Amino acid sequence: MGNICRSPMAEAVFRHQVKEAGLEAVISIDSAGTGDWHIGHPPHQGTRDILDAHEISYEGLQARQVRSDDFHQFTYIIAMDESNVVNLASFAPELVGDTKHAAIHKLLEFSRNKPMTTDVPDPYYTGKFQEVYEMVVESCSRLLAFIVEKEKLVTE
């Protein structure tokens, strides 16, 4: 929502996984929130702490808000929960019926563990950064495998 907890965590983790796969030249990654209240802020301290503990860089990450051109710039837009999926529609209402825009998925759709909900809980409210990190790592790994297969990419 505010782009300081879940999304920058997923962005940093996914960047790390993409780099390890040797695909950083072909996969562009960015995160954004549907809310505007944290624009320009670094990731939340809890997110930074968990990424530091796992030696994953978050250098240069700053909160920003979704823009309508994101739907044309990116192939996939990955939301953390259903409320964000709903809110995304307000950023690109002209896309109704347009098939040349990013596919929207929820991150936990890619989870092997098939949780009871496909919403990543917001650690801003729960403080459960480790739990969210574990969901993000596993789901991002499977998201990367999905993209590699779907886009027919070659990993190192």
Side-chain angles (χ1 to χ4, degrees):
M1 294 187 312
N3 194 221
I4 60 169
C5 292
R6 299 173 292 182
S7 293
M9 183 187 296
E11 177 183 356
V13 165
F14 199 60
R15 282 180 190 266
H16 183 79
Q17 292 175 349
V18 165
K19 185 176 181 179
E20 285 185 333
L23 294 170
E24 67 271 20
V26 294
I27 296 178
S28 177
I29 306 156
D30 197 4
S31 65
T34 55
D36 63 359
W37 48 92
H38 295 294
I39 292 174
H41 293 199
H44 184 282
Q45 186 64 52
T47 294
R48 294 193 312 256
D49 289 346
I50 200 78
L51 293 172
D52 284 341
H54 294 280
E55 299 180 348
I56 296 176
S57 174
Y58 49 85
E59 182 178 350
L61 296 186
Q62 287 187 344
R64 74 171 184 88
Q65 190 172 27
V66 174
R67 299 181 299 260
S68 61
D69 67 330
D70 288 338
F71 292 85
H72 296 289
Q73 180 180 353
F74 296 101
T75 306
Y76 303 95
I77 293 180
I78 309 300
M80 294 294 148
D81 61 33
E82 187 62 31
S83 69
N84 282 303
V85 170
V86 170
N87 290 339
L88 284 166
S90 68
F91 290 93
E94 75 279 0
L95 297 179
V96 174
D98 176 3
T99 59
K100 297 178 183 172
H101 64 81
I104 300 171
H105 296 275
K106 289 198 291 184
L107 182 62
L108 290 187
E109 289 176 25
F110 299 97
S111 175
R112 176 179 310 143
N113 300 325
K114 300 298 177 211
M116 298 280 292
T117 177
T118 56
D119 289 352
V120 177
D122 193 341
Y124 185 84
Y125 299 106
T126 67
K128 296 181 179 181
F129 287 89
Q130 180 63 38
E131 176 184 323
V132 170
Y133 175 80
E134 291 168 11
M135 291 176 174
V136 164
V137 167
E138 193 265 334
S139 297
C140 281
S141 175
R142 293 177 57 81
L143 170 61
L144 179 56
F146 170 83
I147 291 171
V148 165
E149 181 179 326
K150 184 139 175 101
E151 304 298 329
K152 297 175 178 42
L153 303 176
V154 177
T155 60
E156 289 186 356

